[in-house]
Amino acid sequence: MHNAALKACGIDAQYVRLQIRPDELADAVRSLVENGFLGTNVTIPHKVGMLGLMDEVDDHARKIGTVNTVVIDGGRLRGYNTDGPGIVRAVRSEFSVDLRDLRVMILGAGGGAGRAIAVQCGMENCERLVLVNRTFEKAKALANELQPYFHGTRLIGPVARLEAVPWEEAELKFQLEHTDLVINATSIGMKLSDPSPVPSSILMPHLMVYDTIYTAARTPLLKAADEVGARSANGLSMLLHQGALSFEIWFNREAPLEAMRAALMQG
Ligand code: NAP
C-alpha cells in the first residue's frame, strides 16, 4: 500500500520489506540512517525494542509503550505509534461511530494491538472499557495503568467504567450485555482452523464486532457475528489507517487513501 501511495503522490521513493531478528535491530536501524532512508515502520516483534532506540519519542507512542513508525531526520530518529489512532479511524469508517462514545470490550492485552487499542480507548475517554486476556494478570495490570483515564462517572448503571475480567463464558456473556463494540486483538483466528474467540451463542445482534486480524476476509469471529446478525469488520481498515497515518507523518501531507486501499485489496 505504501508503494501505491508513493506512486499516486509522485514521490520518487520506495517502500521495502526487511526481515531482521531482534538482536539485529540496532544495527539495522543504524544502516537505515546511513543509507538515506526517510523512515520505517516496524512490526512484530520489534515495536517495544524500537522505543529504546529513538532519539525522541512522541508523547502518544510513549503512553502506548511501543513504536511502529519512525522518522529519520538529519540522522536523528523520532518514534510514533499509529496503531491506536488507526483503530479510531477504522471504527469510524466501518461503523460510522466514534470510539469515544462506545462501551468497548477488548479481547487480548498483548504488546502489539491489544495494548495500543486499550491505551487509545483510555485517551479517548471512551464510555466503558472491559479488558479480557487469556493471562488475566496482564489485563488486570493494564486496567490498573488505565485507571486515571476513567475516574469520571459518565456511565450510569450496574457495571464499572473500567474492568479486567477473566476469560470465562458466563462472565463474557454478562459483560457483552453492557458492550457496544467487541475488538479481537488476540491471534485466535489467524489460522482458519481456529475457533471463534467468542462463541456465537453469547454474541448479540446489537454488537459491533471488529477483528484486528486481516489475513482472512471472514475470520471465525466474524462468521460467529454473522450467525447472530451483528455488524462486523476485519482488520484491513486498521491496517490501512495506521499505514495512512504513517504516510502523513513521513511526508506531512494527506495520504492517498483510495490508492492505498486498492493496493491492499489486491494484496
Ligand atoms: P501479541 O503481542 O503476541 O499478543 C497476542 C495476544 O493473543 C495476547 O493477548 C495473547 O494472550 C493472546 N493469545 C494468543 N493465543 C491465544 C489463545 N490460544 N487463546 C487466548 N488468547 C491467546 O500479538 P499482537 O502484536 O498484539 O497481535 C495480536 C493480533 O492483532 C494479531 O492477530 C495481529 O494480526 C493483530 N494486529 C492487527 C493490526 C492491524 O493493523 N489490523 C495491527 C497489529 C496487530 P496472552 O497474553 O495470554 O499470551
Side-chain angles (χ1 to χ4, degrees):
M1 71 174 153
H2 281 297
N3 282 321
L6 293 167
K7 192 166 168 216
C9 294
I11 298 171
D12 186 18
Q14 232 193 322
Y15 188 94
V16 293
R17 183 158 65 167
L18 305 170
Q19 208 158 7
I20 51 168
R21 293 193 309 265
D23 63 349
E24 297 170 327
L25 185 63
D27 284 344
V29 168
R30 217 165 303 132
S31 122
L32 295 181
V33 175
E34 286 164 7
N35 287 288
F37 279 72
L38 302 171
T40 181
N41 282 133
V42 277
T43 188
I44 301 171
H46 301 302
K47 291 182 185 183
V48 175
M50 202 63 164
L51 186 88
L53 299 175
M54 299 294 100
D55 295 305
E56 253 176 83
V57 179
D58 163 71
D59 196 38
H60 199 91
R62 192 168 295 288
K63 283 187 181 134
I64 289 174
T66 55
V67 160
N68 78 334
T69 304
V70 179
V71 174
I72 303 173
D73 185 8
R76 285 180 65 78
L77 301 162
R78 266 199 321 276
Y80 299 83
N81 188 304
T82 65
D83 286 327
I87 189 83
V88 174
R89 289 195 185 183
V91 166
R92 196 178 296 136
S93 70
E94 297 286 3
F95 303 117
S96 306
V97 284
D98 283 324
L99 192 64
R100 67 166 65 95
D101 295 328
L102 301 177
R103 299 169 301 170
V104 182
M105 175 188 283
I106 303 174
L107 306 166
R115 188 184 156 80
I117 296 169
V119 175
Q120 191 69 37
C121 286
M123 288 163 125
E124 298 282 318
N125 195 15
C126 73
E127 190 71 29
R128 173 162 199 256
L129 180 61
V130 178
L131 301 175
V132 188
N133 197 52
R134 175 178 59 180
T135 313
F136 175 66
E137 292 70 30
K138 253 201 234 172
K140 188 82 197 127
L142 187 53
N144 287 342
E145 192 186 321
L146 297 181
Q147 197 69 53
Y149 293 110
F150 291 90
H151 49 67
T153 50
R154 272 176 72 178
L155 191 87
I156 300 166
V159 285
R161 279 195 69 198
L162 174 64
E163 281 191 74
V165 300
W167 196 312
E168 288 163 9
E169 203 164 305
E171 180 65 45
L172 293 188
K173 184 174 187 305
F174 170 76
Q175 295 294 341
L176 285 170
E177 286 164 11
H178 303 279
T179 295
D180 305 305
L181 171 69
V182 190
I183 300 176
N184 177 33
T186 74
S187 38
I188 311 175
M190 291 190 80
K191 292 197 291 281
L192 277 178
S193 56
D194 283 347
S196 170
V198 179
S200 59
S201 56
I202 61 168
L203 289 174
M204 286 159 254
H206 78 270
L207 290 167
M208 290 168 265
V209 180
Y210 192 86
D211 200 334
T212 63
I213 293 172
Y214 49 80
T215 43
R218 303 308 288 165
T219 62
L221 175 63
L222 300 187
K223 287 179 187 159
D226 290 344
E227 280 178 41
V228 300
R231 286 190 288 161
S232 64
N234 81 1
L236 261 188
S237 47
M238 180 177 165
L239 184 67
L240 169 70
H241 287 290
Q242 62 78 30
L245 285 157
S246 294
F247 187 94
E248 288 169 14
I249 289 170
W250 292 322
F251 298 108
N252 197 23
R253 62 185 284 179
E254 206 176 320
L257 212 54
E258 286 321 310
M260 295 175 88
R261 194 194 312 274
L264 268 185
M265 301 307 278
Q266 275 171 18

